[in-house]
Amino acid sequence: MRARLLEATVELLVERGFAGTSTTLVSDRAGVSRGAQLHHFPTKNDLVVAAVEHLTERRGAELAEAVAHLPAGGRRTRAVVEMLGDHFSSPVFAAALELWVAARTDEALLAAVGPLEQRVGREAHRMTVAALGVDESRPGVRELVQATLDLVRGLGLASTITDDSARRRRILREWADVLDRELEKELDA
Amino acid sequence: MRARLLEATVELLVERGFAGTSTTLVSDRAGVSRGAQLHHFPTKNDLVVAAVEHLTERRGAELAEAVAHLPAGGRRTRAVVEMLGDHFSSPVFAAALELWVAARTDEALLAAVGPLEQRVGREAHRMTVAALGVDESRPGVRELVQATLDLVRGLGLASTITDDSARRRRILREWADVLDRELEKELDA
């Protein structure tokens, strides 16, 4: 029942945005009684934060699993970067973006979203370092990994109002080639 | 009077978000009668789109002016990239982000925001090419310029809920060095 509520919440965030998502709409869509919903999640903020956390973790785990099965060598960097680009342009990103933007002007929501974003950000960073197989103790490597994640976040934002996939693909291919040149010393090590 | 209405709208978008911005709040803050406001901007959508357009153009012109006065050589790329980073982390970016995210789930708003974002995006691209003094006909250059703009957009998004300026500075310095290496052939030409 908890999972049904969380999935319904993310769907509504994607379809109607933060302002258009109400606890009543969520319980209707999930087919869960208001009482049961309030037992699990007393407020809208509890619900939306738990929903984005749940989906982000599930998608993050799927992504880590997919990355673990990528072949080594040649086109690995390109594949990692493209998978990150797709991940940050998915409906889960749109739901997270709704929460993020709402939290900017809502102190109570920010108190919950801030720590969540930090945790998610650290996890994405750790996973990307592992996927690229790079050594962060070398100068500049940490910044390039962070830049990669900020780039896909920027591309994700662009993709929310237009279909930006062809442009995204071209940019990420070029970016992967740049990363390979810059990280060459690491990959050879 | 038009300018006062537009400035008040951007202030409210920054402080209260899209959902928290009403035409009544705008006319109160601008000190403009409801009738006069409705004459200039019949709907909330007219008002918010005109406001973000107005401020984006003004800030874009300021940025272009500042970039035109940068010294050539050595640290120019770093300066350009840092100015872009600051620009995309300013309150005007927060106001534009509110509009952008609201448009994702509001068809009428999207019809106005879509073309505005395209125009603003093209202008930012053109200005960045000029500021970096690069030749876009060379392979990969166009994508690196676009990646730079998507990167600062991603960093701008990160800056909306935490003070991210120290991290942003480190990333953009590293990225400027990478850009210089990648574009070296262009700058030498």
Side-chain angles (χ1 to χ4, degrees), chain B residues 52-68 83-84 87-88 90 92-93 119-121 123-128 131:
Chain B
V52 168
E53 184 166 20
H54 170 72
L55 267 282
T56 304
E57 277 171 8
R58 214 185 64 189
R59 289 295 309 266
E62 286 168 12
L63 188 63
E65 170 83 9
V67 162
M83 287 170 80
L84 285 172
H87 185 58
F88 277 79
S90 68
V92 173
F93 176 78
R119 206 160 64 246
V120 168
E123 180 54 28
H125 186 92
R126 196 201 55 71
M127 200 268 289
T128 305

Side-chain angles (χ1 to χ4, degrees), chain B residues 39-76:
Chain B
H39 172 73
H40 284 287
F41 305 103
T43 70
K44 173 176 169 179
N45 279 3
D46 295 331
L47 189 56
V48 291
V49 171
V52 168
E53 184 166 20
H54 170 72
L55 267 282
T56 304
E57 277 171 8
R58 214 185 64 189
R59 289 295 309 266
E62 286 168 12
L63 188 63
E65 170 83 9
V67 162
H69 288 93
L70 283 176
R75 292 275 176 254
R76 185 179 172 94

Side-chain angles (χ1 to χ4, degrees), chain A residues 145-158:
Chain A
V145 170
Q146 291 188 332
T148 301
L149 289 165
D150 284 297
L151 170 65
V152 292
R153 192 188 296 128
L155 289 167
L157 182 54

Side-chain angles (χ1 to χ4, degrees), chain A residues 13-17 19 93-95 97-98 100-105 110 113-114 117-118 139-144 146-148 150-151 153-155 157-162 164 167 170-171 174-175 177-178 181-182, chain B residues 13-17 19 93-95 97-98 100-105 110 113-114 117-118 139-144 146-148 150-151 153-155 157-162 164 167 170-171 174-175 177-178 181-182:
Chain A
L13 285 171
V14 171
E15 289 167 25
R16 304 191 182 209
F93 175 78
L97 179 63
E98 289 289 339
W100 194 312
V101 169
R104 199 182 65 77
T105 51
L110 183 58
V113 170
E117 286 300 336
Q118 284 202 328
V141 171
R142 184 172 173 75
E143 285 73 20
L144 284 178
Q146 291 188 332
T148 301
D150 284 297
L151 170 65
R153 192 188 296 128
L155 289 167
L157 182 54
S159 78
T160 56
I161 64 171
T162 46
D164 195 44
R167 191 184 75 95
R170 281 197 306 276
I171 291 173
E174 187 62 32
W175 184 273
D177 292 347
V178 170
R181 283 193 287 274
E182 291 290 327
Chain B
L13 284 172
V14 171
E15 289 168 25
R16 305 190 181 209
F93 176 78
L97 180 63
E98 289 289 338
W100 194 312
V101 169
R104 198 182 64 79
T105 52
L110 183 58
V113 169
E117 285 300 337
Q118 284 201 327
V141 171
R142 184 172 174 75
E143 285 74 20
L144 286 177
Q146 291 188 332
T148 301
D150 284 296
L151 170 63
R153 192 190 294 129
L155 288 167
L157 183 53
S159 78
T160 56
I161 64 171
T162 47
D164 196 42
R167 189 183 76 95
R170 280 197 306 275
I171 291 173
E174 185 63 31
W175 178 243
D177 292 346
V178 171
R181 283 193 287 273
E182 292 289 329

Side-chain angles (χ1 to χ4, degrees), chain A residues 17-32:
Chain A
F18 182 83
T21 297
S22 69
T23 53
T24 313
L25 282 171
V26 171
S27 55
D28 283 356
R29 176 161 312 197
V32 167

